[in-house]
């Protein structure tokens, strides 16, 4: 492939992704759904304008790394410290209940071959996909109604942040077990070794970066060094610890999230993201989608997958909040707010696909989950708040 | 190569490029020179941290496209209309004298096989490399002394813009002749066909884009559509007209340079450029540099190349301005101001290298030219202005 030949593909992808993304937003669906559909439209499945290629894959991978870095950067550690036990418990339950339910769902469809078997690993991956909350849609809905600053809203927000961190730790564990010969002890050692090393080194890096940042605020070198750090951590995670590169990128984001220029870095990373890399990832998912293998069982699995993913969050987080003396309806609000899924679920799916431990048909189920949860959640929340407005917000 | 493996290379390249670029700027040399030296340092030649790869090449190519697009976007058509005949004549002479001298230089070293021969084509490419003025350094020097708004300063600025456009047309012609079987009539037809089509279509695109831009100013879709247009034109130029992709990208920039959001687009493109793509291009040149083939003749050729490139601009532009009743010393100032070379000379060299019509050793000569011209010009201009300050500026 000559270098210039990729230009046409990129142009088509960028324009279609933007157009379909805007269309999706108009229809109150998440923009990523529009971008995926753009990929299906222009891909081999339908119009065949663009074929998946190694180069597009490379761009998409960098897109994923940048998205995870950005997610880490946007973590509000100060907020997190304040949120305390309630959010922590809700987040834990919100990770482990869907993880368990997702695993059981896969076993229900495909049978159980014992812990440590390949099919058990596949089942765990399905569970992992279900763990990642994406509160973007919820936040928007709460903001619109003016309830974001209420107790329920703040609890959802804090729980979602912790949920992300726990989710990534769980994913890291599961992915480290991909090699069937790996012993659980070695896996634990690797994961804890990496986490410990990155938190100790991370603190050092944070201190050094802070000095550089304070000396040269808002200069180009700041985001360049930051992104390089993200790339290095992603590489080191994969190469030396056998841990997912996305974990490394996310941790790089957390290390730098308290730096004064964190928002500035995030903005620069986002420009690269939204123009080239991120659309190539989401469109790429669409490009690789194939309708050929879809039969009755796939449809049944997809529907069950969506139902289990949403109910496990709703019931898990709802019951967890009940322990902290929330009113019944407020427990439902918290559970409902945690139901939405987004980019991270797709990224985990993609990771599983590239490792060959997830069937291509799961993509369809995940896309369906994103669409359904993002449409249902805001409607459901509006209904709940109309029945019982948040008292904290009313007194303001 | 696994996707994550490129991350480490990118991180090393980005950080080293930035560091060496800043060091170069401290030493009053152009930043690109620092970036190239970074490539030599970390490349197979010396430390061997990073090897050239297909993926890095792809990024570098996109970098080139974005740089040329940006150069087109920064064209000030309004200024151009005002500048008139003087600048046009100086620019023409400033393109054709170096083109002729460069061609003769190559023939002097390698002999003449007749017009239409491969060696004549190679000679023309050497001429083309010499045509592209890069006034960045000159503008900075004039600004520092407070003479940019003077008559001489404005003449240099306008001439440099026209110089770029004529230079790209000449390059387009020369590159279209790369196929030895191509008839000059067909080449002319293709080039004029492309230019005519892009100016007619360009006007249409400009009108449509203006409507979109006025409706959605400063939204993300504006730079996305703009960059896509640039990619499409670059692709169409290569694929259907046999014309260099960089010409297409440059024309896309000119088409959009009068749009209200031109500067906004340029800024977004630059963020992508300086973070990922552009450093990969300049560092890539360093990576591919090899000292193994450098003998006495290469050194002699390089020195002659630098001397011819600088003197042909100095004398050509100087004499041309003499026709417009400039004082002798002001003619020298104009000639001196046009001597500097930069990115575009490198881009043309790279184009020639990838087509196999330029010897790798020419890279070294071009890098030397950029360094020498960027160091000599400001010093020389300061000396000239100290002898004869610009009267226009003094009266202000």
């Amino acid at each position: 492939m000559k270098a210039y030949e990729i230009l046409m593909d990129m142009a088509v992808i960028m324009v279609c992704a933007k157009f379909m993304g805007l269309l999706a937003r108009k229809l109150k669906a998440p923009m990523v759904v529009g971008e995926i559909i753009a990929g299906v439209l222009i891909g081999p499945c339908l119009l065949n304008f663009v074929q998946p290629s190694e180069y597009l894959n490379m761009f998409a991978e960098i897109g994923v790394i940048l998205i995870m870095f950005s997610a880490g950067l946007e973590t509000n550690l100060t907020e997190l410290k304040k949120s305390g036990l309630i959010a922590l418990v809700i987040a834990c339950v919100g990770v482990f209940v869907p993880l368990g339910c997702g695993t059981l769902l896969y076993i229900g469809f495909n049978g159980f071959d014992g812990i440590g078997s390949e099919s058990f690993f596949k089942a765990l991956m399905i569970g992992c996909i279900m763990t990642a909350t994406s509160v973007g849609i919820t936040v928007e809905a709460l903001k619109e109604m003016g309830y974001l600053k209420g107790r329920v809203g703040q609890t959802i927000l804090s729980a979602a942040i912790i949920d992300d961190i726990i989710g990534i730790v769980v994913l890291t564990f599961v992915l480290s077990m991909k090699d069937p010969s790996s012993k659980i002890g070695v896996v634990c050692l690797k994961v804890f070794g990496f986490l410990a090393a990155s938190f100790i080194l991370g603190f050092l890096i944070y201190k050094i970066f802070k000095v550089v940042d304070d000396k040269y605020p808002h200069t180009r070198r700041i985001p360049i060094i930051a992104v390089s750090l993200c790339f290095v951590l992603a590489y080191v995670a994969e190469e030396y610890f056998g841990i997912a590169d996305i974990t490394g990128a996310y941790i790089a984001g957390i290390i730098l999230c308290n730096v004064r220029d964190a928002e500035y870095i995030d903005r620069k990373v986002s420009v690269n993201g939204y123009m080239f890399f991120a659309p190539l990832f989401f469109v790429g998912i669409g490009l690789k989608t194939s309708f050929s293998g879809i039969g009755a069982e796939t449809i049944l699995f997809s529907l069950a997958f969506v139902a289990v993913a949403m109910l496990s969050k709703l019931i898990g987080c709802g019951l967890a909040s009940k322990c902290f003396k929330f009113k019944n309806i407020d427990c439902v609000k918290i559970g409902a707010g945690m139901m939405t899924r987004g980019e991270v679920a797709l990224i985990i799916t993609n990771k599983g696909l590239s490792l060959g431990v997830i069937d291509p048909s799961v993509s369809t189920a995940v896309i369906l989950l994103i669409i359904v949860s993002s449409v249902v959640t805001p409607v459901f929340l509006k209904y709940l708040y109309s029945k019982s407005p948040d008292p904290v917000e009313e007194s303001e």
Side-chain angles (χ1 to χ4, degrees), chain A:
Chain A
M1 192 183 200
K2 276 186 191 152
Y4 75 86
E5 285 172 9
I6 205 180
L7 296 175
M8 195 62 168
D9 286 353
M10 287 182 71
V12 171
I13 290 175
M14 283 161 60
V15 169
C16 293
K18 190 69 205 168
F19 179 76
M20 292 298 292
L22 289 172
L23 192 69
R25 202 172 58 183
K26 272 242 160 104
L27 301 172
K28 304 269 175 208
M31 289 184 79
V32 290
V33 172
E35 297 183 354
I36 295 167
I37 293 174
V40 175
L41 279 178
I42 61 176
C45 224
L46 289 171
L47 297 174
N48 203 18
F49 284 165
V50 177
Q51 289 80 39
S53 81
E54 235 182 301
Y55 290 110
L56 292 180
N57 259 343
M58 174 68 77
F59 276 100
E61 278 299 313
I62 294 175
V64 170
I65 298 285
L66 293 179
I67 294 169
M68 294 304 287
F69 180 51
S70 190
L73 272 177
E74 285 161 16
T75 308
N76 190 336
L77 285 184
T78 330
E79 196 68 34
L80 208 63
K81 280 180 202 150
K82 277 193 288 181
S83 61
L85 192 67
I86 306 181
L88 181 65
V89 171
I90 295 174
C92 279
V93 176
V95 166
F96 289 104
V97 172
L99 178 67
C101 293
T103 309
L104 288 176
L105 173 73
Y106 186 89
I107 290 173
F109 269 79
N110 298 279
F112 181 59
D113 294 345
I115 291 173
S117 67
E118 206 195 319
S119 91
F120 184 68
F121 178 61
K122 285 185 178 183
L124 275 177
M125 281 302 294
I126 298 291
C128 276
I129 296 172
M130 290 192 184
T131 61
T133 301
S134 165
V135 285
I137 298 269
T138 302
V139 168
E140 233 167 84
L142 290 178
K143 239 188 218 160
E144 211 181 288
M145 295 187 285
Y147 291 123
L148 186 60
K149 299 250 177 252
R151 192 179 165 218
V152 169
Q154 286 304 300
T155 306
I156 294 175
L157 213 59
S158 311
I161 300 170
I162 308 176
D163 175 299
D164 269 358
I165 298 176
I166 302 174
I168 210 111
V169 173
V170 170
L171 174 74
T172 305
F173 263 107
V174 172
L175 282 179
S176 311
M177 293 190 283
K178 61 176 180 276
D179 186 2
S181 67
S182 64
K183 297 211 177 72
I184 187 79
V186 179
V187 169
C188 288
L189 216 69
K190 271 187 176 177
V191 173
F192 277 118
F194 180 74
L195 292 179
S198 53
F199 277 98
I200 296 168
L201 264 176
F203 190 71
L204 219 77
I205 294 170
Y206 168 72
K207 286 282 173 200
I208 297 170
F209 197 93
K210 222 171 127 71
V211 173
V212 177
D213 189 23
D214 286 346
K215 200 167 171 196
Y216 307 102
H218 275 59
T219 52
R220 289 181 168 191
R221 68 198 77 172
I222 299 298
I224 289 178
I225 298 172
V227 170
S228 302
L229 175 69
C230 154
F231 284 176
V232 169
L233 270 186
Y235 176 81
V236 168
E238 280 271 5
E239 184 75 8
Y240 301 112
F241 292 86
I243 283 172
D245 48 4
I246 49 178
T247 305
Y250 184 76
I251 288 179
I254 290 190
I255 290 174
L256 299 181
C257 74
N258 260 0
V259 155
R260 194 148 50 117
D261 265 343
E263 206 221 308
Y264 174 72
I265 299 169
D266 193 27
R267 217 162 49 231
K268 297 298 167 190
V269 171
S270 300
V271 174
N272 287 288
Y274 78 73
M275 278 192 80
F276 295 105
F277 299 111
L280 282 165
F281 172 63
F282 296 115
V283 172
I285 290 174
L287 286 181
K288 286 182 261 171
T289 301
S290 151
F291 294 129
S292 61
I294 294 186
E297 204 191 349
T298 313
I299 294 172
L300 193 67
F301 176 79
S302 296
L303 294 177
F305 178 88
V306 172
V308 169
M310 288 174 67
L311 289 176
S312 60
K313 281 273 184 194
L314 178 65
I315 296 169
C317 297
L319 286 180
S321 33
K322 189 66 207 156
C323 309
F324 295 97
K325 297 183 190 146
F326 278 96
K327 278 192 299 180
N328 280 342
I329 194 156
D330 286 347
C331 295
V332 183
K333 282 180 197 164
I334 292 175
M338 301 286 284
M339 286 195 312
T340 43
R341 308 299 207 287
E343 286 89 333
V344 179
L346 278 173
I347 291 174
I348 298 172
T349 310
N350 195 54
K351 199 82 209 166
L353 276 174
S354 70
L355 293 172
V357 294
I358 280 184
D359 300 323
S361 62
V362 174
S363 285
T364 325
V366 175
I367 296 170
L368 196 66
L369 169 60
I370 294 174
I371 299 175
V372 174
S373 66
S374 335
V375 172
V376 168
T377 302
V379 176
F380 192 31
L381 279 175
K382 263 174 211 166
Y383 168 77
L384 292 169
Y385 273 100
S386 73
K387 289 223 127 187
S388 147
D390 200 334
V392 180
E393 198 67 8
E394 282 198 318
S395 68
E396 269 182 46

